Amino acid sequence: MDDALRFIEEISDYGVEHVALTGGEPFLRRDLTEIIRAIRDHGMSCNMSTNLTCLNRRLAEFLGRYDVYLYVSLDGSMPETYERIRGHGNWKRFMGGVKLLKEYGVSFSTVMAVCKYNYMETKDYVRLAEKIGAESSCIIPVLPVGRAKENNVAPSREEVIHSVKVFGEACDELGYNGCIWCYTPAKLLIASPYIYVTSGCRTDSVIDMDPAGNILLCDTLDYKIANVKDGFSNALKEYYSNELVKKVMNPTLSEPCRSCKLRDICMGGCYARSLLLKGSLDPPDPYCPLVSKIE
């Protein structure tokens, strides 16, 4: 705990403005409230990703008091789909968690990890997110790592493209905000005023760190670049001098990336997906729709 508090003070002094707590499941950490309190006391904003199944009234009240924004996992529009992914009985726990968030004024968005089990439910997922009071709905393509790889549930490029297009249609129909994570080529598929597509993974605007203090190349890849135990500034110097990091931040763009209108924003797309599906960090993103045309 002392290490975590020292780290929070250090990154605050460095100028970090926002901290995102992910997992696993952050609610399983016993000192979570102390960590959040320290983050907020040092003037940084905080959000957290959770499946809500461990949420209780005490935690919900705390999150509302400290203005923590939540991204809650809603991996299906129906109980059957959700529990196929999240386990039997967890739909009821999830909805109970949503009720607590609303009772204590905790703002939240939903996140659906798009896979072979749910990619066809995107429109109904958006409708459900709006119905339960989420400020926005988000989607992110599942990567073939961990259990997703073992069970072969990561979506194909065609399934992701279908999901993104339907997602855009649903948000337009409802006039409802949506966000697409880790798939910058989505900008080639939809042009909705209601949808924000994240980018920046190939820049220095976001850094991933695991609970042991390791700064990672990506939170889905087991590439440990540096460790903050010897100081955050020292770890950053080691991080930015790493050859893999340089390769990711300064990619050599071939076609179709070189001629793409998104080249300066996308920078070749998701390098983790490229590594996992092609065995190389090099662009282009295997799920880019322009790649399918070339093939």
Side-chain angles (χ1 to χ4, degrees):
M1 182 60 193
D2 290 341
D3 287 342
L5 295 180
R6 280 195 296 269
F7 173 71
I8 291 169
E9 183 175 3
E10 189 174 3
I11 62 174
S12 173
D13 292 341
Y14 191 84
V16 172
E17 297 178 350
H18 181 77
V19 178
L21 303 174
T22 64
E25 174 50 60
F27 283 144
L28 293 176
R29 182 155 179 155
R30 294 180 180 179
D31 57 359
L32 178 64
T33 55
E34 287 85 357
I35 288 173
I36 290 174
R37 188 180 290 111
I39 291 169
R40 300 296 285 127
D41 287 348
H42 280 85
M44 295 178 284
S45 58
C46 179
N47 71 43
M48 188 169 66
S49 299
T50 172
N51 60 27
L52 288 185
T53 56
C54 295
L55 182 68
N56 56 40
R57 188 170 295 277
R58 178 185 63 82
L59 283 171
E61 188 277 331
F62 175 86
L63 296 171
R65 180 154 38 97
Y66 279 87
D67 195 24
V68 179
Y69 195 92
L70 295 192
Y71 290 96
V72 301
S73 299
L74 179 56
D75 291 330
S77 63
M78 301 180 293
E80 297 80 8
T81 306
Y82 178 89
E83 293 191 348
R84 184 178 184 183
I85 298 168
R86 292 287 172 177
H88 180 70
N90 281 326
W91 177 267
K92 184 176 180 180
R93 293 189 185 96
F94 175 85
M95 288 303 175
V98 168
K99 184 178 179 180
L100 284 174
L101 296 183
K102 294 165 75 172
E103 182 177 344
Y104 287 98
V106 181
S107 300
F108 68 97
S109 292
T110 59
V111 184
M112 184 170 83
V114 177
C115 69
K116 290 186 178 297
Y117 296 155
N118 61 18
Y119 78 92
M120 70 294 291
E121 296 183 17
T122 312
K123 182 169 288 189
D124 288 335
Y125 154 73
V126 173
R127 291 169 175 163
L128 177 60
E130 184 198 38
K131 181 179 179 180
I132 65 175
E135 291 192 354
S136 66
S137 58
C138 311
I139 60 173
I140 179 172
V142 168
L143 287 170
V145 294
R147 287 190 299 170
K149 181 178 181 180
E150 293 172 7
N151 299 325
N152 193 31
V153 299
S156 67
R157 176 172 54 211
E158 292 71 25
E159 289 165 346
V160 169
I161 290 173
H162 170 82
S163 181
V164 165
K165 288 180 177 179
V166 173
F167 183 71
E169 293 170 3
C171 290
D172 283 342
E173 287 176 9
L174 295 172
Y176 180 60
N177 290 332
C179 185
I180 299 173
W181 296 357
C182 299
Y183 186 53
T184 313
K187 289 176 177 285
L188 297 170
L189 299 168
I190 53 176
S192 170
Y194 299 105
I195 293 180
Y196 174 73
V197 181
T198 63
S199 58
C201 286
R202 288 186 179 271
T203 69
D204 60 357
S205 61
V206 177
I207 290 179
D208 296 325
M209 191 184 78
D210 70 14
N214 295 305
I215 296 182
L216 308 173
L217 186 64
C218 170
D219 62 359
T220 61
L221 301 175
D222 192 24
Y223 281 67
K224 299 169 185 175
I225 306 298
N227 193 286
V228 301
K229 290 182 179 179
D230 293 327
F232 184 60
S233 297
N234 292 332
L236 283 185
K237 290 178 182 178
E238 187 176 350
Y239 177 80
Y240 289 127
S241 64
N242 184 274
E243 292 303 317
L244 286 178
V245 174
K246 291 179 181 179
K247 183 179 181 68
V248 163
M249 291 187 180
N250 300 280
T252 301
L253 299 181
S254 58
E255 296 296 348
C257 299
R258 188 184 299 125
S259 303
C260 181
K261 63 182 180 180
L262 299 180
R263 57 172 294 171
D264 295 331
I265 301 172
C266 182
M267 298 174 67
C270 177
Y271 56 87
R273 191 155 43 236
S274 291
L275 181 64
L276 292 167
L277 296 180
K278 300 190 308 180
S280 169
L281 291 168
D282 295 331
D285 188 324
Y287 280 1
C288 175
L290 296 182
V291 172
S292 63
K293 292 179 180 179
I294 289 177
E295 291 176 348

